[in-house]
């Protein structure tokens, strides 16, 4: 924040008690007249001293269920005439001329139901607090503006900081709606997991969009800049069942899709259920969302970055398990060595490994360079292992690992032995030949002796020539490390004097 911070009020500091509370006669609401005008003139003077003629709207919002201002709420939140009815242009990051910024200050002074911060980044900031307290920050001391404010009958006080300065250094990283996000959303729609996008374009204001593979790009193109995005599963088509399941007491957010395909939401409690049922008559689908965070279960969330890909919005979504997975996956890269604990060996052979709270997996071919009958030949549940990250799939939230990548591949050593004769043990007979283990260990590498290479007279069945467990001299003809194949010949071994 800019270093020179002033609190501007109509309250004389002399009229405060020992606790700093104002005890004078000034009303805490706006007079809609000369005092209000003095506030705006004072802010304009500080802006002039700072050299600012445009301001950016930050963290804008509107009142929803309850209005806490001392003055009655008005239609349009006081923004009518300043912005279109859909409030386009009133969003985080929107730049407005100083004159419009001052009108927004007027709206906030009157508690009309809309609020925001106004800033010129690192140079100037305006925050309107409760009871007509206004905080102006500048990168300049603004001595002329301070004197002018006093001349207007207001009281400027220098402070170390504004009490409305938000602490945006919260733990964790906000997920941006980047290409990884949209790839995940595409995949989730294809898998019929995601169907509804909630666009939080202001604090307390949302638009709802139905998503299909055909409409996603169009929905994306018309989202409000810097909007908060929340992805939900589909609504239930049994609207009567949703209405019947509403809680006996306490408010819920009811979301429904009408016969025209428009999705809307409203807050309702038990006293309003009858009216709600009439309102949603004919709806195609609906759901009831609890208001407490631990009971709401969106699929994942994000905030829209600017067109250059930089996330400048300071507000945050409430992270879902998917969002926490995203934050962890962003720390991984291909080729990285990770350590984890084996949590499960599935019946289909995949080994699951917990790496920092995320479940990665090892497919059977990545467990060992050597042949194994089952993953339990290599790993056990509860075992701590190290493995290499093969890929980080942000869309499917998958991380395949390789255990064998940290082991020496035994096959290249046999490339040096091509043309040599070795003795191995016959491990298996198949219709087209015999497999022979040529490495002196129980899980040693095996090669294939084709029927045509078993004997001078081609054998219709390998069993006519050799038996499992027998020793056999073979010549190494070829080693293909890519296809994991070793080609052997007994006949050529005999011509080299093999037994």
């Amino acid at each position: 924040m800019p270093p020179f911070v002033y609190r501007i009020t109509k309250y004389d500091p002399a009229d405060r008690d020992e606790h700093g509370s104002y005890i004078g006669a000034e009303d805490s609401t706006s007079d809609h007249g000369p005092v209000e005008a003095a506030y705006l003139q004072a802010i304009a003077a500080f802006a002039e001293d700072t050299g600012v003629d445009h301001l950016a709207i930050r963290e804008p919002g509107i009142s929803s269920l309850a209005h806490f201002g001392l003055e009655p709420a008005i239609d349009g939140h006081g923004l009518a005439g300043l912005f279109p009815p859909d409030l386009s242009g009133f969003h985080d990051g929107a730049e407005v001329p100083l004159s419009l910024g001052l009108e927004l200050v007027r709206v906030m002074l009157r508690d009309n139901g809309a609020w925001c911060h106004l800033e010129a980044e690192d140079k100037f900031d305006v925050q309107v607090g409760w009871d007509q307290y206004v905080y102006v920050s500048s990168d300049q001391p603004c001595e002329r503006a301070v004197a002018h404010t006093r001349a207007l009958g207001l009281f400027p006080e220098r402070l170390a900081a504004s009490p409305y300065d938000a602490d945006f250094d919260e733990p964790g990283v906000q997920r941006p709606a980047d290409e990884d996000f949209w790839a995940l959303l595409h995949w989730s729609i294809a898998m019929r997991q995601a169907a509804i996008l909630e666009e939080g374009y202001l604090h307390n204001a949302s638009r709802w969009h139905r998503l299909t593979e055909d409409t996603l790009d169009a929905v994306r193109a018309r989202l409000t800049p810097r909007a908060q995005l929340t992805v939900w599963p589909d609504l239930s088509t049994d609207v009567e069942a949703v209405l019947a399941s509403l809680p006996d007491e306490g408010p819920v957010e009811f979301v429904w899709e009408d016969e025209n395909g428009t999705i809307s939401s409203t807050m309702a409690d038990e006293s309003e259920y009858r009216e709600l049922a009439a309102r949603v008559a004919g709806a195609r689908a609906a759901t009831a969302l609890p208001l407490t965070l631990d009971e709401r279960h969106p699929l994942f969330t994000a905030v829209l970055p600017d067109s250059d890909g930089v996330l400048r919005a300071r507000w945050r979504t409430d992270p879902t398990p998917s969002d926490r997975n995203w934050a962890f996956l962003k720390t991984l890269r291909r080729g990285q060595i990770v350590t984890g604990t084996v949590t499960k060996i599935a019946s289909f052979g995949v080994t699951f490994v917990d790496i920092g709270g995320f479940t990665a997996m090892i497919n059977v071919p990545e467990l060992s360079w050597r042949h194994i009958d089952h993953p339990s030949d290599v790993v056990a549940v509860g075992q701590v292992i190290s493995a290499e990250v093969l890929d980080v799939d942000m869309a499917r939230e998958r991380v395949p690992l390789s255990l064998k990548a940290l082991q020496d591949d035994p096959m290249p050593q046999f490339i040096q032995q091509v043309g040599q004769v070795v003795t191995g043990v016959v491990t298996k007979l198949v219709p087209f030949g015999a497999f022979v283990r040529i490495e002196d260990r129980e899980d040693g590498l095996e090669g294939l002796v084709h029927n045509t290479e078993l004997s001078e007279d081609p054998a219709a069945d390998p069993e006519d020539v050799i038996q499992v467990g027998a020793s056999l001299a073979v010549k190494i003809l070829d080693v293909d490390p890519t296809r994991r194949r070793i080609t052997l010949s007994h006949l050529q071994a005999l011509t080299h004097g093999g037994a």
Side-chain angles (χ1 to χ4, degrees):
M1 296 295 294
F4 298 94
V5 181
Y6 298 91
R7 178 172 63 189
I8 300 173
T9 71
K10 58 186 176 182
Y11 309 117
D12 190 334
D15 295 330
R16 291 185 182 143
D17 62 20
E18 66 273 18
H19 303 293
S21 298
Y22 180 69
I23 56 176
E26 285 285 353
D27 195 344
S28 58
T29 60
S30 175
D31 67 343
H32 294 227
V35 176
E36 180 183 273
Y39 272 109
L40 302 186
Q41 292 173 47
I43 294 170
F46 277 91
E48 183 179 350
D49 277 8
T50 309
V52 168
D53 58 9
H54 280 75
L55 296 171
I57 296 171
R58 300 308 307 266
E59 295 85 51
I62 56 177
S63 58
S64 57
L65 279 177
H67 176 68
F68 298 102
L70 295 178
E71 298 190 33
I74 64 174
D75 291 340
H77 309 284
L79 299 174
L82 303 179
F83 297 95
D86 65 357
L87 298 186
S88 58
F90 184 60
H91 61 78
D92 190 81
E95 189 172 276
V96 297
L98 178 62
S99 58
L100 180 52
L102 293 175
E103 289 305 312
L104 287 171
V105 171
R106 188 193 305 275
V107 168
M108 291 183 276
L109 288 172
R110 295 182 179 185
D111 285 329
N112 284 158
W115 70 88
C116 64
H117 293 172
L118 294 162
E119 70 175 28
E121 189 171 5
D122 299 327
K123 291 189 63 178
F124 188 73
D125 189 273
V126 179
Q127 301 165 330
V128 179
W130 293 103
D131 300 337
Q132 308 284 291
Y133 283 84
V134 175
Y135 299 84
V136 177
S137 303
S138 173
D139 66 351
Q140 304 294 321
C142 300
E143 294 173 356
R144 186 196 66 85
V146 171
H148 184 61
T149 299
R150 290 196 180 100
L152 290 168
L154 301 178
F155 299 92
E157 300 173 77
R158 178 77 186 274
L159 301 179
S162 165
Y164 290 94
D165 287 348
D167 180 8
F168 296 107
D169 295 326
E170 300 176 28
V173 178
Q174 173 60 56
R175 185 179 199 162
D178 55 12
E179 293 308 317
D180 286 336
F181 170 86
W182 294 108
L184 171 60
L185 189 49
H186 269 287
W187 183 80
S188 299
I189 294 169
M191 295 295 103
R192 299 185 183 279
Q193 296 175 356
I196 305 295
L197 180 67
E198 179 184 3
E199 173 197 359
Y201 62 101
L202 299 171
H203 278 303
N204 291 329
S206 294
R207 299 185 184 97
W208 299 78
H209 309 275
R210 172 162 292 285
L211 301 176
T212 68
E213 292 183 83
D214 294 331
T215 64
L216 179 57
D217 289 341
V219 169
R220 179 181 179 182
R222 63 176 184 266
L223 293 173
T224 303
R226 300 188 182 181
Q228 296 174 301
L229 306 181
T230 304
V231 180
W232 297 92
D234 206 354
L235 308 178
S236 170
T237 56
D238 193 343
V239 179
E240 292 300 320
V242 175
L243 288 167
S245 68
L246 293 175
D248 294 335
E249 61 180 10
V252 297
E253 182 176 14
F254 195 87
V255 184
W256 75 98
E257 183 177 22
D258 66 19
E259 61 274 14
N260 299 315
T262 301
I263 302 176
S264 306
S265 70
T266 189
M267 305 292 184
D269 61 22
E270 64 277 7
S271 67
E272 301 166 303
Y273 288 168
R274 187 185 298 265
E275 179 184 346
L276 175 65
R279 183 177 178 184
V280 303
R284 295 177 182 175
T287 192
L289 301 176
L291 297 187
T292 56
L293 293 178
D294 58 348
E295 294 180 323
R296 292 169 72 92
H297 300 294
L299 298 175
F300 46 95
T301 69
V303 174
L304 275 176
D306 291 347
S307 58
D308 60 2
V310 177
L311 182 57
R312 294 186 177 87
R314 293 186 291 235
W315 48 28
R316 291 172 174 268
T317 60
D318 297 301
T320 67
S322 174
D323 298 335
R324 288 186 283 271
N325 285 344
W326 166 83
F328 178 74
L329 294 182
K330 293 293 286 186
T331 69
L332 301 180
R333 65 185 186 280
R334 290 184 183 182
Q336 181 177 344
I337 307 303
V338 295
T339 299
T341 303
V342 177
T343 58
K344 180 181 179 182
I345 298 175
S347 58
F348 49 91
V350 173
T351 300
F352 294 96
V353 184
D354 184 312
I355 53 171
F358 179 85
T359 301
M361 61 183 184
I362 307 177
N363 290 312
V364 172
E366 294 299 329
L367 284 168
S368 176
W369 292 107
R370 305 175 186 280
H371 170 76
I372 61 173
D373 294 319
H374 190 269
S376 58
D377 295 341
V378 180
V379 294
V381 173
Q383 180 181 352
V384 177
I385 63 171
S386 293
E388 181 178 305
V389 175
L390 294 180
D391 190 25
V392 181
D393 188 334
M394 301 296 291
R396 293 170 175 79
E397 295 183 355
R398 293 179 182 174
V399 177
L401 304 177
S402 175
L403 193 62
K404 74 179 186 182
L406 304 185
Q407 306 164 357
D408 291 331
D409 182 359
M411 187 163 282
Q413 66 178 306
F414 287 95
I415 296 177
Q416 309 301 320
Q417 300 182 41
V418 171
Q420 296 182 18
V421 175
V422 297
T423 299
V425 177
V426 178
T427 59
K428 182 168 60 175
L429 299 178
V430 292
F432 48 84
F435 283 95
V436 179
R437 185 172 66 237
I438 59 174
E439 193 178 15
D440 188 18
R441 50 184 290 169
E442 188 174 341
D443 61 353
L445 294 183
E446 299 177 351
L448 173 67
V449 182
H450 195 271
N451 283 346
T452 57
E453 296 293 332
L454 271 175
S455 60
E456 292 184 2
D457 298 323
D461 189 334
E463 290 186 351
D464 296 340
V465 179
I466 196 72
Q467 300 297 315
V468 171
S471 294
L472 190 69
V474 293
K475 181 180 179 180
I476 301 176
L477 300 182
D478 183 55
V479 176
D480 186 339
T482 303
R483 300 171 69 191
R484 312 301 299 171
R485 291 182 180 179
I486 299 175
T487 305
L488 307 173
S489 171
H490 176 56
L491 274 180
Q492 294 188 41
L494 294 175
T495 63
H496 279 73

